Amino acid sequence: MAKATKRQTLSVEVIKEKILNFLSKCQEKGAPKSKLPLAKNPSFEKALEELVSKDSILSIYRRYYLKDFAPTLEKTKEKLLSFFERWVKKNRGRKVYQPISELILKKKFNLVAKTSLFTSLDELAEEGHLIRLKVKKVSYYLPLSLLAQEEPKEGSFDPQKIREAYKELVGNGGFLDVSLSKLRRRAGINRKEFQDWILEQSRQGKAHLSAGDYTLISKEEEKEAILLGSKKFYMVRLRDVP
């Protein structure tokens, strides 16, 4: 019996060493449980359990990583920022910018867990690095460096007029998404100043632009649309407006 126990202990140690060596080669890609070496060995589960319990490896979203290579939100955000920086350099100077859909980002960062990816995108949008747009149920992203505009000139512009107009439109219509055209006209704000402010609120996560139902868009609303990339947005929802 003693010899059998010794053989089993050695087997566990051998498996642990092979798992560690394998994951060191995988680096930041990590690997699912099914791809780890000797996964069918009777001692595999014990070896894996010991490695995880001692924090030698980490299990994150059904993938295993060496501790030094385990993904974090900060690492994911850095990768996303690097990707968007390269994208800006490549596309700078174009007349039309095509927003990047979350579907493309999922394929591009297919080794990053969806939860981590979307949380990182949300934080980058809240921090002002990205602007998030929504068409139906799909989110699109653009780096704010492409949309940098001059600050509105000081004058009669008063954002409180927009907030008050928004409350009136929501109260009258009963919907949180309101027409950009109706909102601007009710607030009595210059178009450029109005759109600059809306984009700034969107950058801060305080406003969400949407396309709405195109079949219901009037000619006047068509003229007042905010164009980002090749997509037009006719509706807006303001947050933090009591």
Side-chain angles (χ1 to χ4, degrees), residues 16 19-20 23 33 36 44-60 63-65 67:
K16 285 164 63 175
I19 291 174
L20 291 173
L23 289 177
K33 186 176 180 179
L36 295 177
F44 172 79
E45 292 294 341
K46 181 174 176 59
L48 189 64
E49 182 181 343
E50 288 185 9
L51 288 172
V52 172
S53 65
K54 294 179 180 179
D55 285 339
S56 299
I57 64 175
L58 299 180
S59 173
I60 302 175
R63 296 184 76 87
Y64 290 86
Y65 306 83
K67 190 172 183 179

Side-chain angles (χ1 to χ4, degrees), residues 102-117:
E102 62 185 14
L103 302 177
I104 291 176
L105 291 171
K106 279 169 62 178
K107 291 180 180 178
K108 183 72 178 177
F109 296 90
N110 64 316
L111 293 176
V112 176
K114 286 193 295 184
T115 303
S116 177
L117 178 63

Side-chain angles (χ1 to χ4, degrees), residues 160-223:
Q160 188 58 31
K161 292 181 179 179
I162 301 176
R163 296 189 181 96
E164 292 297 331
Y166 177 79
K167 285 195 290 185
E168 292 175 9
L169 289 172
V170 170
N172 294 338
F175 297 99
L176 294 177
D177 293 306
V178 303
S179 162
L180 285 166
S181 174
K182 292 178 181 178
L183 180 59
R184 186 185 75 80
R185 291 181 178 281
R186 181 168 292 242
I189 303 294
N190 171 274
R191 182 184 297 178
K192 183 181 184 306
E193 291 179 330
F194 172 77
Q195 293 192 349
D196 283 348
W197 186 83
I198 291 293
L199 286 172
E200 175 64 17
Q201 296 303 295
S202 179
R203 181 183 71 81
Q204 296 178 16
K206 297 179 180 179
H208 295 290
L209 292 164
S210 61
D213 186 346
Y214 184 74
T215 61
L216 302 177
I217 299 300
S218 67
K219 291 183 179 180
E220 198 59 47
E221 288 173 321
E222 177 73 29
K223 294 178 183 178

